[in-house]
Amino acid sequence: MTSIPASAVTRPPVERGALAWLKKNLFRTPFDSAMTIIVLGIGVLLLAQFFQWAITQAQWTVITTNFRILLQGTYPADQGGRLGLSVALITLIAGISWGIWGKLFRATVFAFVGGVLIFIIVPAAAEGLSDAPQGTLSAYLSGQLAPLFSLLREPVMLLVGCLLIGYAVGRLGKRLNRKRAGRYTLIGWLVLIPIVFFLVRGFTDADGILPFVQTNRWGGLLLTFMLAFVAIVACFPLGILLALGRMSGGSHTLEFKAPPRWWLNPLQWLHALSIWWRNLGNYPIIKLLCIVYIEFLRGVPLVTVFFTANLIVPLALGDNNIDAVLRAMVALTLFEAAYIAEIVRGGLQALPPGQLEAAKALGLSPVQATLFITLPQALRIAIPTLVGQFITMFKDTSLVAIISLTDLLGISRSVLAQNEFIGRHREIYVFVAIVYFVFSYGMSYAARQLERSGSGAVRKLG
Amino acid sequence: MAKQGEPIITVRDLHKWYGDFHVLRGINVQVAVGEVVVICGPSGSGKSTFIRTINRLEEHERGDIIVDGIHLTNDVRNIATIRSEIGMVFQSFNLFPHLTVLQNITLAPLWVRKRPRREAEKVAQELLERVKIPEQAHKYPGQLSGGQQQRVAIARALAMQPKVMLFDEPTSALDPEMIKEVLDVMRELARSGLTMLVVTHEMGFAREVADRIIFFDKGEIVEENTPDGFFNAPKTDRAKQFLANILAH
Ligand SMILES: Nc1ncnc2c1ncn2[C@@H]1O[C@H](COP(=O)(O)OP(=O)(O)O)[C@@H](O)[C@H]1O
Ligand SMILES: [Mg+2]
């Protein structure tokens, strides 16, 4: 029997291109094809309905008239620049981080540029149509869409601009010195947290540079942001302590051997704190408290926690005037810390036991082993779940409307109560949904990039 | 500090239970400074458990373990001291995947021994030369082959300048062509006079390098012998059976 020499055998042709993809993924079998057509049909129908409404019927004046209040509540208009600056700073550093750890795909750039162009073109195109006869599409365009788009134009340009500038800076930093750029960016995030907080809150009296703004004037998207921001920043360390507390126990008291001038080194601070915490963990009562805390808060709805905090925080502090926003922040932080604790615990338990054994065998103390070996790995494992929880948290802030705070959703309801805008539910809820979606999607996109960048270091380990 | 030829590890009448299961049943061993002792025996006979009690990765219930004059008890300070004097190499390497090779090696010298960074890094680089992978310092463990990872693990343990090194089947997780590169490093260590306790199935290595062979079965030491004696004329039937099995394949 003769056989063809291997070098003469050619690979069967591989079908490429959009058509082949469609065939393979959507029309492989008759059933697939039927499903594809039905689902696609329904989708197109719904989208067509939506757009037909959104660009020919919707009365967007409810948004344009209340634009400022939706974004910042009754935050003083002349102080709005402080908010703009905060947003710019955060977006800038987000862009820098993206440049260092992430990758910007061409499609994303097109989406960004396209998005910005729409906001520039629509108002410009409507310019000449201002005296179109009533009831025509042109009249609708200039009367309803153009004002909305021109109001959104500046914020969108600010966001996209800062993001892209940041990205370029991050790329440059990465090229110059990746390690140092990364470190400075992390420090930048840490420094930015208090800066943003004080920028928004202010601390001088009325004629100072940053006059204090009472939290009862924070509202709309600003309030949503600040609630989520403060709660995320605060619940994260609390959740880690709870997780470690829950997993602690059965070991010996540790001593903090302070090296000279230890107070100059933040790592040593952390070290001292965690030794203290771990020694507390030797008492089973602490472990028990952590378990009770976690299980209890995971067992009640957030709304009840908001209500309770609203009643109990003033009682506990003996002060009835504790500001409502602070109460909400405390409630949200305490509630979410329980979830973060369980996520972190899951990460810790997912580690192979050999990691802790190797750390012990090298003579690392349990605190050092936690700080340098198990916790960093556990957090990296937990990133997707953690970010998922942060997104949930961002959306959960909308429940504060129940304790009469006016976050983005709460303020929408008071807008709807105005005589002029009764019945404009669709417009306002569509707007609110899009705002929530943009930021939630941004967070989960960032998390995916972060995961991918970390994965090089955590590749398979035998 | 013990001198050449004096005992550095003394284990007397060591017992351990996992629940009702009596894993270690009265182990007596002495290891002298500079000695290379190979432990072998069938799987599940308690070899790993035994060497893990020496640095307290497992607690024992009865008997004494004395390392370099320090009694291993529940006292944390003793445990910490003993652990920093004993290096350990695991079957599954257990490198820290989120740290570079250099960081893996310098971590304990920096934080346990409180060495200055520059010195720790210099020592680490020298150790990487010694295990013949100086060019991998800035890679992550996941980017190395199994043999390279195990050599990094050896360097990591050596960086603490341990008085004793424990090896728990260091080559069992490796592909055949990588076993040799790890055994070569271990041979060189043995020649340099390091005290070593090695659990292994590599009988060629044992015959060549060991000063003494300890044969474990069912939680007991069944035979203690010189390599020549053990391989050419085992005293016990169980050892004969074991050697027959292991040489048969
Ligand atoms: N953590 C544990 N809990 C219960 N039994 C264990 C545990 N670790 C090991 N064993 C049992 O103890 C015996 C000795 O194990 P090991 O020391 O690992 O043996 P070897 O290393 O000689 O193969 C085995 O039968 C094993 O199943
Ligand atoms: Mg074993």
Side-chain angles (χ1 to χ4, degrees):
Chain A
M1 191 185 128
T2 57
S3 60
I4 314 168
S7 54
V9 179
T10 54
R11 185 182 176 177
V14 182
E15 288 182 64
R16 286 176 207 279
L19 223 64
W21 185 90
L22 281 178
K23 201 172 147 197
K24 183 171 167 226
N25 291 291
L26 300 177
F27 298 98
R28 188 191 285 266
T29 65
F31 180 71
D32 279 359
S33 310
M35 287 305 281
T36 302
I37 288 166
I38 292 172
V39 172
L40 227 60
I42 294 175
V44 166
L45 226 63
L46 287 176
L47 272 183
Q49 284 272 322
F50 173 76
F51 276 108
Q52 203 248 333
W53 168 80
I55 58 179
T56 61
Q57 287 171 13
Q59 298 295 307
W60 292 113
T61 40
V62 60
I63 307 293
T64 46
T65 316
N66 296 294
F67 192 65
R68 198 170 59 79
I69 206 175
L70 282 169
L71 287 196
Q72 58 187 58
T74 54
Y75 199 90
D78 59 338
Q79 299 295 323
R82 285 156 58 173
L83 305 182
L85 183 59
S86 303
V87 172
L89 284 174
I90 293 179
T91 330
L92 205 58
I93 199 154
I96 293 175
S97 312
W98 197 358
I100 293 177
W101 291 294
K103 201 167 172 302
L104 187 57
F105 295 99
R106 203 175 305 157
T108 322
V109 180
F110 286 149
F112 275 160
V113 174
V116 172
L117 280 182
I118 288 180
F119 287 98
I120 295 174
I121 289 171
V122 171
E127 200 85 333
L129 304 172
S130 52
D131 38 40
Q134 276 280 320
T136 61
L137 198 61
S138 308
Y140 181 81
L141 188 66
S142 72
Q144 293 292 332
L145 290 182
L148 180 67
F149 277 59
S150 67
L151 262 179
L152 284 168
R153 188 173 52 197
E154 270 74 44
V156 169
M157 281 168 70
L158 179 75
L159 284 178
V160 173
C162 287
L163 208 58
L164 293 180
I165 292 171
Y167 183 83
V169 173
R171 275 281 129 145
L172 188 70
K174 182 176 169 182
R175 183 150 332 146
L176 292 178
N177 183 338
R178 180 175 180 147
K179 216 166 149 189
R180 202 173 293 167
R183 186 168 315 154
Y184 287 156
T185 309
L186 280 183
I187 294 175
W189 274 110
L190 287 181
V191 173
L192 199 63
I193 289 170
I195 289 184
V196 165
F197 186 76
F198 282 110
L199 212 53
V200 172
R201 182 176 168 276
F203 43 83
T204 59
D205 50 29
D207 345 304
I209 23 166
L210 287 176
F212 185 73
V213 180
Q214 290 271 315
T215 53
N216 60 16
R217 305 191 61 176
W218 300 6
L221 187 58
L222 166 69
L223 180 59
T224 298
F225 260 140
M226 290 308 281
L227 284 171
F229 183 68
V230 170
I232 287 175
V233 168
C235 80
F236 192 46
L238 185 60
I240 291 176
L241 284 183
L242 282 168
L244 294 176
R246 183 168 192 172
M247 291 187 75
S248 71
S251 36
H252 309 276
T253 309
L254 296 174
E255 236 176 284
F256 176 58
K257 293 188 225 82
R261 294 200 294 163
W262 63 276
W263 59 86
L264 290 182
N265 184 347
L267 210 57
Q268 290 289 349
W269 281 67
L270 212 59
H271 196 193
L273 181 74
S274 38
I275 288 196
W276 171 76
W277 179 254
R278 186 177 162 282
N279 282 342
L280 276 184
N282 283 337
Y283 304 100
I285 183 73
I286 298 292
K287 180 174 180 156
L288 190 71
L289 280 179
C290 288
I291 295 179
V292 170
Y293 178 95
I294 292 170
E295 293 307 329
F296 181 72
L297 277 155
R298 270 157 39 97
V300 295
L302 178 56
V303 186
T304 59
V305 180
F306 276 134
F307 273 131
T308 321
N310 217 12
L311 296 174
I312 284 183
V313 172
L315 268 183
L317 296 179
D319 179 356
N320 238 329
N321 298 321
I322 294 287
D323 94 50
V325 171
L326 185 68
R327 289 180 218 177
M329 284 173 176
V330 170
L332 199 60
T333 303
L334 295 181
F335 182 79
E336 298 293 343
Y339 285 84
I340 301 297
E342 286 300 274
I343 294 171
V344 172
R345 190 167 73 105
L348 284 167
Q349 283 176 337
L351 290 183
Q355 289 293 308
L356 188 59
E357 284 177 1
K360 281 185 186 170
L362 283 170
L364 294 178
S365 74
V367 172
Q368 290 169 336
T370 308
L371 229 48
F372 302 142
I373 306 302
T374 50
L375 197 54
Q377 293 187 62
L379 291 182
R380 191 162 296 175
I381 294 175
I383 284 176
T385 333
L386 278 174
V387 174
Q389 189 62 33
F390 290 155
I391 292 172
T392 307
M393 229 165 134
F394 174 65
K395 294 184 292 182
D396 278 354
T397 55
S398 56
L399 286 171
V400 295
I402 279 173
I403 50 172
S404 20
L405 288 182
T406 47
D407 73 314
L408 184 54
L409 198 65
I411 217 148
S412 318
R413 295 210 281 185
S414 44
V415 166
L416 285 172
Q418 298 167 16
N419 270 336
E420 211 183 329
F421 299 118
I422 281 177
R424 293 273 84 90
H425 297 91
R426 276 196 227 166
E427 287 81 354
I428 208 147
Y429 287 134
V430 163
F431 176 77
V432 168
I434 290 176
V435 171
Y436 272 112
F437 174 77
V438 165
F439 289 104
S440 302
Y441 185 76
M443 273 196 267
S444 81
Y445 186 81
R448 256 176 292 149
Q449 297 249 328
L450 191 65
E451 242 180 290
R452 218 172 288 160
S453 80
S455 62
V458 212
R459 247 178 266 167
K460 59 111 205 188
L461 185 88
Chain B
M1 151 111 212
K3 293 197 192 60
Q4 193 72 20
E6 287 177 11
I8 187 157
I9 298 178
T10 305
V11 176
R12 275 196 301 256
D13 194 30
L14 182 72
H15 288 265
K16 173 165 181 64
W17 285 263
Y18 282 126
D20 287 337
F21 178 49
H22 200 168
V23 219
L24 298 178
R25 307 157 164 256
I27 307 289
N28 289 288
V29 173
Q30 272 213 344
V31 180
V33 174
E35 229 188 338
V36 177
V37 177
V38 164
I39 300 175
C40 59
S43 168
S45 57
K47 307 178 299 288
S48 300
T49 310
F50 169 62
I51 71 165
R52 288 158 59 87
T53 55
I54 297 176
N55 65 354
R56 243 317 144 103
L57 289 183
E58 302 287 351
E59 254 175 78
H60 60 282
E61 274 92 33
R62 285 189 52 182
D64 301 303
I65 299 176
I66 302 159
V67 179
D68 200 22
I70 303 170
H71 218 105
L72 188 53
T73 58
N74 267 334
D75 189 328
V76 242
R77 261 162 304 175
N78 282 355
I79 295 176
T81 318
I82 286 180
R83 280 185 182 156
S84 63
E85 303 295 344
I86 299 180
M88 182 149 190
V89 176
F90 300 85
Q91 179 176 346
S92 50
F93 326 140
N94 293 346
L95 291 179
F96 306 130
H98 62 304
L99 303 179
T100 62
V101 165
L102 195 68
Q103 289 168 332
N104 262 279
I105 300 176
T106 54
L107 185 72
L110 285 175
W111 288 92
V112 180
R113 292 256 192 262
K114 314 276 187 224
R115 289 281 142 74
R117 177 172 298 277
R118 193 165 300 174
E119 186 194 317
E121 287 183 352
K122 189 166 149 274
V123 171
Q125 202 60 52
E126 285 165 9
L127 286 169
L128 284 174
E129 307 259 348
R130 197 168 167 193
V131 299
K132 309 207 167 49
I133 34 175
E135 69 288 354
Q136 312 285 6
H138 297 286
K139 289 199 182 158
Y140 285 92
Q143 298 168 297
L144 304 184
S145 74
Q148 291 173 326
Q149 289 190 44
Q150 193 59 300
R151 285 182 282 157
V152 172
I154 294 174
R156 178 175 73 176
L158 289 174
M160 290 292 282
Q161 294 165 325
K163 294 183 176 135
V164 181
M165 284 278 279
L166 309 175
F167 294 84
D168 190 0
E169 303 201 28
T171 56
S172 299
L174 296 176
D175 295 335
E177 76 266 26
M178 292 171 185
I179 292 179
K180 183 172 172 297
E181 60 192 47
V182 171
L183 290 182
D184 282 343
V185 168
M186 290 171 62
R187 254 182 224 117
E188 191 268 320
L189 292 180
R191 245 178 260 128
S192 75
L194 188 67
T195 313
M196 291 164 58
L197 218 64
V198 186
V199 176
T200 185
H201 294 297
E202 295 296 326
M203 291 302 140
F205 172 81
R207 191 193 285 257
E208 182 192 335
V209 175
D211 295 310
R212 193 151 42 109
I213 307 241
I214 294 179
F215 176 65
F216 256 70
D217 194 15
K218 302 203 171 75
E220 287 170 321
I221 295 182
V222 176
E223 177 164 345
E224 243 188 287
N225 210 332
T226 59
D228 272 347
F230 184 74
F231 289 109
N232 299 331
K235 290 181 274 190
T236 55
D237 289 341
R238 277 197 266 177
K240 275 181 202 152
Q241 180 71 42
F242 172 74
L243 284 172
N245 284 344
I246 212 167
L247 297 176
H249 71 244

